[in-house]
Amino acid sequence: MFSASHDEYDQEQQSSLKKARVLEYVTILYQASIIFLMFKVLGTSQAMKTAWIEDCLSLIPPVCFLVSSYVSAKNPTRNYPFGFHRIGSILFLCAALSLLVVGGYLVFDSGMKLYERHHPTIGMKEFFGRDMWLGWWMMIVLLWGTFPPILLGRLKMKHVKPLNDKILFTDAKMNKADWLTAVAAIGGILGIGFGFWWADAAAAIIISVDILHDGWRQTNDAVTGLMNRAPKDVDNGYSDLPQKVEAALNAFEWIEKAEVKLYESGNLIFGQGCAYVKSDDAVSADKIRMATKKALETDWRLQDFALTLCSKDRKDD
């Protein structure tokens, strides 16, 4: 059965994929420990509540990446001849929407706490038979949730470009920025300790706006990607791949001009090209096959490309 390729990774990329999966499993286990510890010391602090919710949201990208990496590896079927790579784009949208919605809610909730002049209190709690101010334990937990994610984010970033995976890129960026959330939350807790009631809500707003900003940017990228927009690289800049493919096709002496249209399908790129020939003589199937192969060789991400011969009348239009 004619279908798109599903085995796009070479040996080096397969190694990157395995390492990325291990890092995501480690992230899930580590993040679960943070969520549990933060819940135990949550108290009435709005900043802690917001940071805890952000940590819960941080589970979404690694889960989405793992699901996407396994589903997209399935063989194409008659009903899905292009494979299952677009599951990555769909899950990327789901993750982005969750950030956008929750970020918007948290901005509103934190803003209302500030407007209502909510005065949070952090009391004492018994630990190992001794009463201690809960704020110290909050800050210890926040610090535990700060430095390991930075390391995980750096390690994941090494595998982003080899795999061209935007979910992994988003997850790595969130990990590397987690220290900002911890610093803001610690500032809010210290503010309560020094009697500045507004510091807690202000810190929560800072964290919430950061979540909302990430959600908006990623939702915009995910939605436009599903609209068959021209391909973008993982750093969100438009790819120059269409120009490279056109240049590769124009190098053939029998092609007068080539036009190319490409779109993203998960971490891969599919597309089609139109070749205007220089003469009216018949073009052999071998020439078309060679030109198509040359186009596919421009980038490993381009896994399905259809080349069509176009008449000069269409070019004039």
Side-chain angles (χ1 to χ4, degrees):
M1 181 185 69
F2 169 73
S3 60
S5 171
H6 73 284
D7 188 20
E8 68 275 7
Y9 292 148
D10 59 24
Q11 189 172 356
E12 185 176 345
Q13 289 171 312
Q14 288 286 355
S15 177
S16 277
L17 178 61
K18 291 178 181 178
K19 291 176 182 177
R21 283 173 175 169
V22 170
L23 287 171
E24 294 296 36
Y25 281 120
V26 171
T27 298
I28 291 172
L29 293 174
Y30 164 76
Q31 206 65 38
S33 73
I34 294 297
I35 292 170
F36 173 76
L37 291 173
M38 288 189 70
F39 181 77
K40 297 296 288 184
V41 298
L42 205 55
T44 61
S45 168
Q46 183 69 17
M48 280 295 290
K49 170 189 169 184
T50 308
W52 179 74
I53 292 176
E54 185 186 40
D55 282 323
C56 291
L57 291 173
S58 296
L59 284 173
I60 296 176
V63 171
C64 287
F65 172 80
L66 289 171
V67 172
S68 173
S69 69
Y70 288 113
V71 173
S72 62
K74 294 174 61 178
N75 293 330
T77 65
R78 182 169 296 278
N79 292 330
Y80 296 92
F82 289 94
F84 299 88
H85 298 286
R86 188 159 276 188
I87 186 67
S89 301
I90 296 171
L91 290 175
F92 181 48
L93 175 61
C94 293
L97 279 175
S98 65
L99 288 176
L100 181 66
V101 172
V102 176
Y105 165 75
L106 290 175
V107 168
F108 172 78
D109 189 41
S110 303
M112 288 301 297
K113 290 290 191 297
L114 189 62
Y115 175 76
E116 295 170 354
R117 301 176 65 87
H118 175 68
H119 288 60
T121 58
I122 300 179
M124 308 293 287
K125 192 169 183 179
E126 183 177 335
F127 289 95
F128 307 110
R130 297 183 62 181
D131 289 335
M132 293 184 64
W133 185 51
L134 190 58
W136 296 120
W137 289 102
M138 290 180 175
M139 288 187 281
I140 290 172
V141 171
L142 285 168
L143 289 174
W144 165 239
T146 302
F147 299 108
I150 294 175
L151 176 60
L152 286 169
R154 289 181 180 275
L155 293 173
K156 291 174 189 177
M157 199 63 76
K158 295 179 180 179
H159 306 294
V160 167
K161 285 196 173 182
L163 299 176
N164 190 45
D165 197 292
K166 292 185 177 180
I167 300 178
L168 186 62
F169 177 74
T170 299
D171 189 28
K173 291 280 285 186
M174 287 180 66
N175 287 154
K176 291 175 70 174
D178 274 351
W179 68 272
L180 294 172
T181 298
V183 168
I186 289 172
I189 294 166
L190 289 174
I192 296 173
F194 284 108
F196 301 113
W197 63 268
W198 49 266
D200 182 61
I205 291 175
I206 292 172
I207 300 170
S208 303
V209 169
D210 183 56
I211 297 172
L212 183 63
H213 174 262
D214 285 342
W216 171 256
R217 181 172 54 82
Q218 293 166 23
T219 299
N220 178 67
D221 187 28
V223 170
T224 54
L226 286 171
M227 293 172 63
N228 286 357
R229 175 205 62 210
K232 281 189 172 184
D233 295 322
V234 289
D235 58 3
N236 215 31
Y238 279 100
S239 173
D240 61 350
L241 184 56
Q243 291 76 24
K244 288 182 178 180
V245 176
E246 287 180 354
L249 293 174
N250 287 328
F252 287 89
E253 60 179 16
W254 56 272
I255 295 179
E256 181 178 346
K257 181 183 178 182
E259 295 178 354
V260 170
K261 294 187 291 186
L262 306 178
Y263 65 92
E264 297 175 4
S265 183
N267 63 328
L268 301 183
I269 296 175
F270 292 171
Q272 61 188 46
C274 181
Y276 301 98
V277 297
K278 291 183 178 180
S279 68
D280 294 331
D281 296 337
V283 178
S284 68
D286 285 339
K287 286 185 176 181
I288 298 175
R289 191 178 300 111
M290 288 177 61
T292 303
K293 181 181 178 183
K294 190 69 175 179
L296 291 171
E297 288 174 350
T298 56
D299 197 296
W300 70 269
R301 296 173 296 173
L302 185 58
Q303 288 290 313
D304 187 80
F305 184 77
L307 182 61
T308 304
L309 298 181
C310 300
S311 66
K312 292 184 178 181
D313 294 337
R314 179 177 172 183
K315 178 183 174 183
D316 295 335
D317 292 338

